[in-house]
Amino acid sequence: MVDADGTTSAETAEALLEELIRASEQASPAELPEAVNRYVQAMGLGRVVVYLIDLQQRRLLPLDEGEEELEVDGSLAGWAYRTDSLRVAEDGAGGLLVWLPLVNAAERLGVLCFRIKALDGHTLWRCRVLASFLALIITSKRTYIDSFAQRTRTRPMQLNTEMLRAFLPPRSIGTGRVVSTAVVEPAYELGGDAFDHSFTEDILHATILDAMGHDLASGLTTSVAMAGCRNARRTGADLAQLVAAVDQALSRALPDQFCTGIFAQLHMPTGVLHWCNCGHPPPLLIRRHRLHQKALVRPPEPPLGLPASLSGDSRQVHETALEPGDQILLYTDGIVEARDEAGEQFGLERFADYIIRSTAAGQNASEVLRLLIHAILDQGKNELSDDATILMIEWQPPVAA
């Protein structure tokens, strides 16, 4: 409760926060906006609306269905989302609209809109704390509440895509040393493309997969490969053992199916990168805003899931040292083979140039890929001949004092 002088005591704030935590834990998706606004009003923060980003990152969809949807491109809310920064505007009634990004670590979930009378440093701090808290609550609840998935979809999803998306991790993960971010299209008709990234101790693990075909069997192939990868990773397997485990999982469960892929491990403190390429387009290295196209090209290994007589005894693992600011790109061929209306391919050089230009313009890694995948979709009027997936790793170790 706001005191007579317009402030809130520390004791009152703590009690209200405890009440919010308890109410948020117990609230259904329909009750969550009301529970949050009870806290917001009691703290003198006006009212707040939670907007979640849609699956293709084009629209911001309100958790409260009584509010209007907003376009990411061309709105103040979208600007806060795209730039991960605060935006403030007058609301036309003597108050303010305060837009804050809703972010969990490196993952962009959406934005918050506070409708508030005035803004000072302490009030803004409280708004930011609430944004961080809500990001954690939403991330936790969406693992078992389908309403969040429903709210972020704009059309029905194919069965094979539903199965494959159940395995996908968050679009972006990160620490103070590294960011890994990915996009995948078509969002609702995905066939056999997938990505994975996670952390163990001081290692970033990143994977990209492309199963042949565009049906339930291809989605199942990729799902088995991802399960084999995670199972090996979580038992402490090194990279060669991990790839062998994926081979074994596919050959046993789906002997008539195979897929291509790249498995990578980045030691975050030193920037040493290990990778194994199984029949996939080689990774790309961008260093100091230049594409070093051949830097990570090595003799390719056979695709995953082939019989031992074809795949060989063991997979070759490669190693290189990154420099601060380096970007590593893993991609499927649907990216460079995407065509515009005239039939011209997007191409590798255009693909890399787009990333270089966006990064040089100051876009963060997640926004770089959002803009890129939209450019690819827009040139072909949202029609792709094949799945298109990109995963980008950006290594930015802290600068030594």
Side-chain angles (χ1 to χ4, degrees), residues 210-271:
D210 183 2
M212 302 302 102
H214 204 272
D215 52 18
L216 191 61
S218 58
L220 182 59
T221 301
T222 305
S223 299
V224 170
M226 289 181 71
C229 173
R230 289 175 179 174
N231 182 254
R233 186 173 70 219
R234 291 165 184 171
T235 57
D238 64 24
L239 200 52
Q241 293 169 334
L242 185 149
V243 178
V246 175
D247 267 327
Q248 187 176 66
L250 285 173
S251 60
R252 287 181 176 178
L254 300 166
D256 296 327
Q257 300 290 325
F258 68 93
C259 68
T260 67
I262 294 177
F263 302 86
Q265 294 179 348
L266 174 64
H267 185 242
M268 293 181 288
T270 63

Side-chain angles (χ1 to χ4, degrees), residues 80-126:
Y81 176 82
R82 298 193 312 270
T83 61
D84 190 22
S85 60
L86 166 73
R87 288 295 178 268
V88 182
E90 295 181 351
D91 65 0
L96 298 174
L97 297 177
V98 178
W99 298 96
L100 281 175
L102 191 62
V103 181
N104 180 28
E107 185 186 12
R108 305 187 297 179
L109 303 174
V111 297
L112 297 185
C113 178
F114 290 88
R115 293 172 177 150
I116 198 167
K117 290 183 179 180
L119 186 66
D120 57 25
H122 191 64
T123 300
L124 178 58
W125 176 81
R126 284 180 166 170

Side-chain angles (χ1 to χ4, degrees), residues 284-287 289-293 329 348-349 352 356:
L284 299 179
L285 170 65
I286 293 177
R287 174 172 291 164
H289 303 305
R290 288 185 54 211
L291 172 63
H292 296 255
Q293 185 173 340
L329 299 172
L348 187 62
E349 290 186 6
I356 291 168

